Amino acid sequence: MTKALLAAAIAVCLPLVGCESPGGQVSVLTGNTPLAGSTYAWAPVQSGSGDPRIDNDIMRERIRTAIDTNLAAKGYTQVDPSKAKLLVAYHVGLQNKTDYSASSMGGHPGMACGVRGCIGGYGWGMYGAPMDVDIRSINYTEGAVMLDLVDAASGKLAWRATSQKRVDQKDATQDGLNAIIADMVKALPLGAPPAG
């Protein structure tokens, strides 16, 4: 294989390896109630999570803007709550987590290992010296967003999308939230086409 062909193959594969979609792991739940048209209003605000990282005016505004923008892109129109066929609500949660990574540093210096075991070193025998293992803890934040569309007439859940992923500061920006919500509403059926 030539170097140019190998480089081209790597360039094609790189975007596919290790890339997570903006929404992370997205799941969609559809109820028995069909989505009742293309109009929506925001459900009454419920109490917040109490987490100051997300329970503040700036984050609430960014999340609502991301949802409004993406619902409009799917053909849904925001109307007065008395005329809405769907009520929209969201829930966000963050959880601090820790993963552990272990890496082996190999046997003791001066050891020679082969099919019959290891020799040399400091008299460790056929299994060789104990291996040094480096264990590191990796702290991160996992976030989850739940987007609900509720049938306004019956009060039943009509559609729900949930996104779960490892998050960082860029996910809290308007662009980051827009990308997460866009990923979540991919499976949402189109609303009414724009009047024109």
Side-chain angles (χ1 to χ4, degrees):
M1 181 179 270
T2 68
K3 287 183 181 180
L5 186 56
L6 180 60
I10 290 171
V12 169
C13 293
L14 272 178
L16 303 175
V17 177
C19 292
E20 182 179 66
S21 70
Q25 182 180 356
V26 175
S27 60
V28 175
L29 176 66
T30 304
N32 293 333
T33 305
L35 292 177
S38 61
T39 60
Y40 76 93
W42 283 94
V45 178
Q46 300 169 356
S47 63
S49 68
D51 187 334
R53 297 174 292 180
I54 53 176
D55 196 10
N56 60 67
D57 293 337
I58 294 170
M59 289 306 297
R60 280 191 288 274
E61 183 63 31
R62 286 180 184 173
I63 294 167
R64 286 178 67 120
T65 298
I67 292 170
D68 286 337
T69 300
N70 282 285
L71 287 179
K74 293 290 282 190
Y76 290 77
T77 305
Q78 187 174 2
V79 297
D80 183 80
S82 64
K83 298 177 183 171
K85 295 182 179 178
L86 298 170
L87 295 176
V88 176
Y90 72 88
H91 312 280
V92 179
L94 296 176
Q95 183 177 20
N96 296 325
K97 291 195 166 189
T98 302
D99 271 347
Y100 295 94
S101 170
S103 58
S104 168
M105 301 302 181
H108 197 280
M111 299 282 302
C113 297
V115 292
R116 293 192 175 157
C118 297
I119 57 170
Y122 301 100
W124 291 104
M126 77 181 285
Y127 294 107
M131 295 179 63
D132 291 329
V133 177
D134 182 28
I135 299 176
R136 295 181 183 192
S137 61
I138 302 162
N139 297 317
Y140 65 96
T141 302
E142 185 169 277
V145 178
M146 185 181 298
L147 175 60
D148 288 343
L149 300 182
V150 176
D151 180 65
S154 68
K156 291 184 178 180
L157 181 64
W159 187 88
R160 171 177 282 168
T162 305
S163 165
Q164 188 170 353
K165 66 178 278 190
R166 190 179 284 203
V167 296
D168 58 29
Q169 285 294 85
K170 73 179 183 323
D171 293 310
T173 65
Q174 190 64 64
D175 288 342
L177 289 166
N178 286 346
I180 291 168
I181 301 298
D183 222 17
M184 292 174 69
V185 299
K186 280 182 184 175
L188 180 65
L190 292 174

